[in-house]
Amino acid sequence: MSQDWEKMLRKKMEDYSELPPENLWEDLENELFPEEEKKQFVFLKPTQLSGNKSYLNIVFRAAAVVLIVLSAKSIITFPSKSIHYTKAETNEVVLPKPTFKQTLDTKEKSFISRKESFGSKTEPKVETEFLEKLKNKEESIFDLPEPLKPLLATKETRFSLPTSLDVAQEVFSAEKRKKKWVASVLAGQVASTASHQNSGYTSMSSTPLGAYTTALGNSVLTILERTSKEDISTKIKHRSPIQFGVGVQYPLSEKLTINSGLLYTKLVSELESGSDSKYINSVQTLHYLGVPLQMNYTFFEKKKLSAYSSIGVTAEKNIGGKVENHYRLKPIIEEVSTKKIEDKSIQLSANLLVGVQFKINNNVGIYLEPGLHYYVPNSSKAATLYNEKPFLVNTRMGLRFTLNN
Amino acid sequence: MIDDKKIEQKIAERLLEKDRIGWKMLYSEYSAYLTGVCSRYISEKEDIKDILQNGFIKMFHNIEGFEFRGDGSLKAWMRTIVINEALKLLREKKKVDFKTVDFEGLEIAEENQEPDFNYISKSKIQELISELPLGYRTVFNLYVFEEKTHREIAEILEIGESSSASQFHRAKNILAKKIKDYKLFNARVV
């Protein structure tokens, strides 16, 4: 019972407030936020995961150029796109013009009427000038001119001005509502490889070479004839595909985004039959260019880390390939021949991924996407990893850039 | 008012970025409140400014250690920091020896009145509280507003527990009388 008056007093004084000391913020600002230099734009290049061929270097350099162009674009578009809410800074707060202005208009009106009812002693000129500037975003409500400051002291008039919480609300929903275009660059590594062994001489697709007699060259036929009685086996190995890609991402809603782009994949398969003195050796290289379509759903987001699940399809087309064959039958045959592969088939695949993204700064994020891919069997005659193992586990990693932040 | 619930948390998260805008938001929203809290303990304007400045700086450097635990937790954290700064200043300046019991209120020491804070404005209440002698005032504030026990107050101010209890008792009675007098002579509802 004797507690009641204490409780009542506490409750009554709960949000009691007084005019803060003059220049307190200015002094704090000088102490905590001395003149900041423009932030440096630091970015990483996607790591080269494997491969030592010169072709890869060209692709890699192209990816680096794309990276540079994208990041240059982000830097260049900074000043022109941002709307200055407070005094000029690098890290601007962007507000959507229509909604905030509405809030401001209605609050302006009530501010003026409130002020009048409170018999403010300020000069009308100061106020209207200030309100004008506020409308044109030349001034910030955080920087009330001196004569108007007493109005902050009373709760009633404070509510007439857009409070910092209004601003905060606007800022946060604006940041969320604004659709950000995101570009990405990826380098992928497929975890699975496939290899197996056949007996006798076979082709890359594991068909015994004997079946091709009419199509084979003399060298091969000779090798076949001379060694038919021996114990020969063919080893076929499909190496891990290497992927590079660029993409663009567009948000459909707060958690859902779709992305598409271009994906380059290189498939290499090796065949080895025979022994040291009589063998057939082939290296098949296939290049694909594909268009992926993914839908990402972000299910976790906190500070700098976010996680998402993704589902998508990709259509890839073979854009070139070659087979390099090496035949040896000592001492008579030593031949290397290269044949171009032309394959018009389209490789479709579907995937289910889980991704984790880490924000390096406001505009750049690094991501890791392990996932399951299914390669739809097609009519392609080329023997690839996809034929052998349609289900593949793949981990992609890359960088994402926010373009219009 | 506005739906503060998620906003307070978002402001708290934003503070971690330690950028000017985030912290200005914090200042704009809470500086008036914290000034009110501080002026309950301290009367000199210069001191209040120092305390608030040190307080904010302390918040800035310790923000990583702050854990948002629901509505009002940010406000409470800030308040604790400011009050500690205020007490620190009081101790340093040796403005008052809390041990000394002021005899001003002796004539009403035996009463046991409950102050009636109805029909009296907040700023008046604040004014009356700050008219209390410093020792009583501090004990009163810590007991009523920070809800400290007399044992805790004794530890904070380095006085005896019974001294805290009697100082509070006196403060309460003095306040009750002041309020009565005020109402009597002003008879105004603000």
Side-chain angles (χ1 to χ4, degrees), chain A residues 248-398:
Chain A
V248 176
Q249 203 167 303
Y250 183 72
L252 293 176
S253 78
E254 208 179 290
K255 296 190 175 196
L256 225 56
T257 61
I258 52 167
N259 67 35
S260 183
L262 279 179
L263 188 67
Y264 162 78
T265 313
K266 178 165 155 182
L267 295 179
V268 175
S269 307
E270 288 167 6
L271 176 149
E272 225 172 60
S273 332
S275 62
D276 193 50
S277 54
K278 32 187 140 192
Y279 77 18
I280 297 176
N281 183 1
S282 307
V283 176
Q284 173 184 279
T285 310
L286 295 170
H287 307 284
Y288 292 85
L289 200 60
V291 176
L293 195 64
Q294 297 283 134
M295 179 134 84
N296 299 356
Y297 174 72
T298 310
F299 56 81
F300 171 81
E301 190 159 7
K302 193 176 183 180
K303 294 183 194 174
K304 295 198 182 232
L305 213 61
S306 63
Y308 55 93
S309 59
S310 179
I311 190 167
V313 291
T314 305
E316 298 176 85
K317 182 148 186 336
N318 187 329
I319 53 169
K322 65 169 195 248
V323 174
E324 204 175 274
N325 296 316
H326 192 174
Y327 308 119
R328 179 187 292 160
L329 180 63
K330 281 199 168 142
I332 53 171
I333 298 174
E334 182 85 37
E335 189 182 308
V336 176
S337 74
T338 314
K339 210 158 65 167
K340 254 202 199 154
I341 296 182
E342 270 180 34
D343 185 354
K344 305 268 182 199
S345 65
I346 296 205
Q347 174 74 59
L348 285 174
S349 60
N351 63 54
L352 197 60
L353 314 170
V354 160
V356 167
Q357 184 162 315
F358 176 74
K359 247 169 67 158
I360 298 173
N361 68 30
N362 261 344
N363 298 298
V364 183
I366 188 167
Y367 69 88
L368 209 67
E369 267 178 10
L372 197 64
H373 297 248
Y374 174 69
Y375 288 87
V376 179
N378 62 7
S379 57
S380 165
K381 296 202 181 75
T384 64
L385 177 63
Y386 303 150
N387 303 119
E388 285 215 24
K389 271 192 176 182
F391 275 103
L392 291 177
V393 172
N394 176 337
T395 303
R396 289 186 187 160
M397 75 176 256

Side-chain angles (χ1 to χ4, degrees), chain A residues 25 31 84 215 244 278 400:
Chain A
W25 171 252
E31 170 109 18
H84 290 252
F244 282 107
K278 32 187 140 192
R400 287 208 172 96

